Amino acid sequence: MSSAFLSLRLWFAAFVLLAGLLPAEAEPVDATPRIAVLCAFEPEWRALRAIATHMEDHSYKGVPIVTGEIEGKPVVLAMTGVSMVNAAMTTQMTLDRYNVTRIVVSGIAGGVDPSLNIGDIAVPARWGQYLDVILARETPQGFKLPSDDTPEFANFGMIFPRGVRVFREGQASSPRQFWFDVDPALLEVARKTEAETDNQLQRCNGANVCLMKPPRVRVGGSGVSGTAFVDNAAFRSYTFNTFKAQVLDMESAAIAHVATTNDVPFIVFRALSDLAGGGPGENEMHVFMDLAANNSAAVMRTFLKALPD
């Protein structure tokens, strides 16, 4: 046997051994086509579990997951945890482990549009990450960006929001973008069911504290997300004036970013639990978060019922 042939055999054997040690590409743990229904924390999770059937509980890396059905549609429910990082991580994990056809988000948010009231449900047409920012240098002439940056939006003091780079399969460049558009077909289904849900929504919480006005559904407009709980009237006004946003939260735009990169259609339902600092007294979230979570789930349930298979 020649030394060259022996070397080739040894090289091939080493290659086979190494290939066996490398992790294989992960297969979905469940091949059933499912709609991923995501929420952030316990009140929203309870509301989703209350409307799901044929539930099977799972967990992955500590994240609560349920497979089952809502209105006859196969779903995988996941509680992401509050925050942009948690939301992005759990969304990608769910996409990797399940055969997800669409992403639907249900939960609560702070209202920034003065025309909306606590309890109203917003279904924005697009989402932006408004706290991806440059914290600008303060100079005698005011706050100044680095010389190679130009403002994309009005600033709030030293805070200058800007878009983020988004990677996509088969795309050589990754240009910055601020807005992530909701799937238009899903948004159209939400529009068609908008009038159906107004009379199904709760007006009073478990302690019989009631909303000032009956809740209503608003489809369209914009939502923004960031890594802050906002309870500040001045910043609330800035957010509305700058982004024309209806609501702000701490997860939806991160989910939208992951959905866009993975080319998975998404839509978000957010019920107002508070006014992000715009109310006359203490923040109202803990008074109305259960009511808001239940109302968001009710609107989302009607949407899923009307959604074509």
Side-chain angles (χ1 to χ4, degrees):
M1 181 182 297
S2 70
S3 60
F5 183 70
L6 179 60
S7 297
L8 182 61
R9 288 188 63 182
L10 290 173
W11 179 88
F12 182 74
F15 175 80
V16 171
L17 177 63
L18 180 60
L21 294 175
L22 292 174
E25 186 173 343
E27 293 290 334
V29 298
D30 182 343
T32 303
R34 295 183 184 276
I35 300 167
V37 182
L38 308 179
C39 70
F41 76 139
E42 284 76 8
E44 302 164 344
W45 186 242
R46 290 194 296 268
L48 293 181
R49 289 183 64 96
I51 63 174
T53 60
H54 306 96
M55 291 191 297
E56 293 185 14
D57 286 287
H58 310 272
S59 177
Y60 184 67
K61 298 188 184 298
V63 175
I65 297 170
V66 167
T67 53
E69 295 182 359
I70 297 178
E71 293 296 335
K73 304 292 195 306
V75 297
V76 51
L77 314 180
M79 182 166 61
T80 66
V82 174
S83 93
M84 300 285 277
V85 173
N86 277 336
M89 177 191 72
T90 303
T91 303
Q92 187 62 59
M93 182 186 75
T94 305
L95 292 174
D96 289 343
R97 291 176 58 80
Y98 294 88
N99 183 8
V100 174
T101 59
R102 288 159 285 194
I103 296 173
V104 178
V105 181
S106 178
I108 68 174
V112 293
D113 184 338
S115 70
L116 295 181
N117 302 299
I118 292 176
D120 289 345
I121 292 87
V123 191
R126 61 181 187 170
W127 285 86
Q129 302 179 53
Y130 76 118
L131 285 181
D132 272 288
V133 301
I134 295 175
L135 301 183
R137 180 187 297 262
E138 189 168 9
T139 73
Q141 293 75 40
F143 292 104
K144 183 175 176 60
L145 291 174
S147 57
D148 57 346
D149 281 290
T150 56
E152 295 181 28
F153 296 95
N155 60 301
F156 186 82
M158 68 177 178
I159 301 173
F160 284 76
R162 60 177 183 169
V164 296
R165 297 199 181 279
V166 181
F167 295 99
R168 289 184 176 84
E169 187 72 32
Q171 202 167 281
S173 62
S174 52
R176 289 189 180 278
Q177 70 178 73
F178 185 85
W179 295 112
F180 295 86
D181 292 332
V182 169
D183 180 73
L186 298 183
L187 200 67
E188 185 59 28
V189 175
R191 288 190 196 280
K192 290 179 179 177
T193 60
E194 187 174 353
E196 290 182 41
T197 49
D198 284 347
N199 59 0
Q200 303 175 17
L201 303 178
Q202 300 176 23
R203 188 170 178 179
C204 301
N205 67 11
N208 207 33
V209 178
C210 298
L211 300 171
M212 297 290 290
K213 296 181 179 180
R216 59 197 176 98
V217 180
R218 169 87 67 85
V219 178
S222 304
V224 292
S225 306
T227 54
F229 179 85
V230 178
D231 190 29
N232 182 277
F235 195 76
R236 174 184 189 257
S237 296
Y238 161 78
T239 304
F240 175 70
N241 292 331
T242 303
F243 307 107
K244 299 298 182 285
Q246 276 70 59
V247 294
L248 56 78
D249 66 23
M250 298 175 68
E251 299 85 24
S252 294
I255 295 170
H257 188 152
V258 175
T260 299
T261 296
N262 285 273
D263 198 25
V264 177
F266 76 94
I267 191 169
V268 179
F269 298 83
R270 289 290 185 182
L272 275 60
S273 60
D274 62 277
L275 298 178
E282 188 174 348
N283 188 280
E284 310 89 340
M285 188 189 84
H286 290 286
V287 177
F288 291 112
M289 65 182 181
D290 288 301
L291 180 150
N294 290 333
N295 280 348
S296 177
V299 174
M300 188 274 300
R301 181 181 187 177
T302 300
F303 163 83
L304 287 182
K305 185 178 180 180
L307 191 64
D309 292 331

